[in-house]
Amino acid sequence: MASSSSNNIEDMMDEKFDQAFEKLLSLHEDHQNAAKMNKPLFMRIVDRLSGEIPYFQQRRDATGRFGLSPLQKATAAIRMMAYGCPADAIDEYLRLGESTALLCLENFVEGIINLFGDEYLRRPTPEDLQRLLDIGELRGFPGMIGSIDCTLNDINILDRSPVFDDILQGRAPKVKYIVNGHQYDLAYYLTDGIYPKRATFVQSIPLPQGLKASLFATHQEAVRKDVERAFGVLQARFAIVKNTALFLDKIKIGKIMRAYIILHNMIVEDERDGYTQFDISVFAQPDSNRSSEVDFTYSTNMPSNLGNMMSIRNRVRDKQTHQKLKADLIENIWKKFGTNQDFN
């Protein structure tokens, strides 16, 4: 009789777990932008965690009964990340206490970083960089490799940011591109108006005067919206991003942010073929037709002293280069898209 009762309880718990798992892998009706991950990808993550991370290996307790399964632990962690729910809410579906749920989350994010970080959170390869340059050129911005969008606090510590470390230390690949007949050798990012005027930043024009300036501002702001949309997607996919400060631990917050970026990149790779915006054949153009090129041999001219590093730093901060590049980009946008505009 006791055995039958125990089996019924276990069956009921299994049913609850299956319901929670299926709910996790699909969109909630009241939260349609929550994390959506294909089941094979989720199971691949669980298999790696259970095979290589001791915490996710199922063990028997002192009574001989199995403890929490790798699937339960991973589901608890990713549910907290996806929906931003508190740790004590996990008990409703997965029968985990608050402290256990937090341990699942901490070990999950560390496992994701250790197992998948090198592949999904790496620096761009020369091939990646060439693709970014090709996309930028297609959109009217030769030499552009992306957009940056930070808060005011991030601006205050920009000089300590690692964004340009490779350039300053001579490790970055050499980039050459031509804009409006002039050659440049520092790639740049599109930014908003709070960023300083540097050779590596191109802002919009807040109050454009004339057709050329207006057209440039329109295209710059349209392209730069990509980074804002990316942040929106990340916040919608992983609601924990909105509440990470509740952990009050900068190290844990940093690991959570890194883990959800890795997971997002894994999801994008898994679903990429279904929604890629660009025809790869467009970039299979002869090198002679490109105005933006990457030298695939990394620079070996490492700064030998502080003076050399300061020289590179001054190039990055050069306002004259910034103004000249922006003027050339205004002309390039006008030549590329101006004839297609209706200004009447």
Side-chain angles (χ1 to χ4, degrees):
M1 190 72 179
S3 176
S4 176
S5 175
S6 175
N7 289 337
N8 290 337
I9 293 175
E10 291 183 1
D11 290 342
M12 183 176 64
M13 290 180 65
D14 288 342
E15 183 179 355
K16 283 284 188 181
F17 174 74
D18 289 340
Q19 290 174 358
F21 182 68
E22 293 301 327
K23 205 169 187 179
L24 176 71
L25 298 180
S26 61
L27 295 177
H28 276 299
E29 293 180 0
D30 59 347
H31 196 351
Q32 294 185 1
N33 289 324
K36 184 178 182 181
M37 182 184 297
N38 291 329
K39 188 172 181 178
L41 174 59
F42 182 76
M43 294 308 300
R44 178 164 71 92
I45 293 173
V46 173
D47 289 342
R48 287 288 303 276
L49 289 171
S50 63
E52 301 181 44
I53 306 298
Y55 181 80
F56 287 92
Q57 295 170 0
Q58 191 174 33
R59 293 182 174 86
R60 295 182 183 272
D61 60 19
T63 65
R65 299 186 60 180
F66 278 112
L68 298 173
S69 70
L71 196 56
Q72 280 177 287
K73 294 176 181 178
T75 301
I78 205 167
R79 182 177 176 81
M80 293 174 65
M81 296 181 71
Y83 301 115
C85 56
D88 56 2
I90 302 299
D91 179 65
E92 178 183 357
Y93 290 107
L94 300 174
R95 297 295 187 264
L96 281 91
E98 179 179 1
S99 60
T100 303
L102 289 174
L103 279 175
C104 289
L105 178 62
E106 292 176 18
N107 283 276
F108 181 82
V109 297
E110 289 182 0
I112 292 296
I113 293 169
N114 293 333
L115 295 179
F116 302 103
D118 289 344
E119 181 177 359
Y120 293 97
L121 201 62
R122 56 172 172 76
R123 288 185 174 92
T125 63
E127 290 79 6
D128 293 332
L129 193 54
Q130 184 66 67
R131 178 174 55 84
L132 292 173
L133 289 169
D134 288 340
I135 293 175
E137 184 171 345
L138 190 66
R139 303 176 79 174
F141 292 92
M144 187 268 291
I145 56 174
S147 301
I148 294 181
D149 186 29
C150 299
T151 65
L152 183 59
N153 287 334
D154 294 317
I155 291 297
N156 292 335
I157 61 172
L158 185 60
D159 285 337
R160 288 179 286 169
S161 170
V163 173
F164 301 113
D165 281 355
D166 283 353
I167 295 176
L168 297 176
Q169 297 174 14
R171 294 195 305 260
K174 299 175 182 178
V175 175
K176 293 182 180 180
Y177 57 96
I178 297 174
V179 186
N180 194 35
H182 298 132
Q183 182 170 305
Y184 297 87
D185 57 6
L186 280 177
Y188 60 89
Y189 297 90
L190 301 185
T191 70
D192 57 23
I194 66 173
Y195 280 79
K197 292 179 172 59
R198 295 185 180 177
T200 48
F201 294 149
V202 174
Q203 302 90 347
S204 180
I205 302 175
L207 297 173
Q209 302 295 319
L211 299 179
K212 290 184 179 181
S214 296
L215 184 62
F216 171 82
T218 299
H219 278 265
Q220 195 274 359
E221 292 165 10
V223 174
R224 204 186 69 80
K225 283 187 181 296
D226 286 354
V227 69
E228 296 180 355
R229 293 191 186 103
F231 284 135
V233 168
L234 290 173
Q235 287 187 343
R237 177 165 275 164
F238 297 101
I240 195 173
V241 177
K242 301 176 182 178
N243 304 318
T244 48
L246 297 177
F247 287 90
L248 302 177
D249 186 326
K250 292 182 180 180
I251 296 178
K252 292 178 182 178
I253 292 173
K255 289 181 179 180
I256 290 171
M257 297 291 283
R258 292 178 65 191
Y260 86 71
I261 292 173
I262 292 170
L263 289 170
H264 170 75
N265 289 340
M266 295 178 73
I267 294 171
V268 168
E269 181 187 70
D270 186 55
E271 301 175 349
R272 179 184 297 157
D273 293 339
Y275 61 77
T276 182
Q277 299 181 27
F278 298 100
D279 181 0
I280 301 300
S281 64
V282 172
F283 307 129
Q285 52 182 310
D287 290 344
S288 58
N289 294 335
R290 282 179 170 144
S291 64
S292 307
E293 293 185 357
V294 180
D295 185 346
F296 279 33
T297 58
Y298 285 81
S299 173
T300 57
N301 299 321
M302 297 290 289
S304 57
N305 53 51
L306 183 60
N308 288 342
M309 292 191 68
M310 291 299 294
S311 175
I312 299 174
R313 183 172 178 269
N314 289 336
R315 286 184 60 213
V316 171
R317 289 170 164 263
D318 189 356
K319 290 185 178 180
Q320 290 185 345
T321 301
H322 163 84
Q323 293 167 351
K324 184 171 179 291
L325 172 61
K326 191 168 183 178
D328 283 336
L329 286 170
I330 291 173
E331 292 296 327
N332 187 71
I333 292 289
W334 180 254
K335 291 177 182 177
K336 189 175 183 68
F337 302 107
T339 57
N340 298 326
Q341 302 298 311
D342 183 6
F343 297 104
N344 296 326

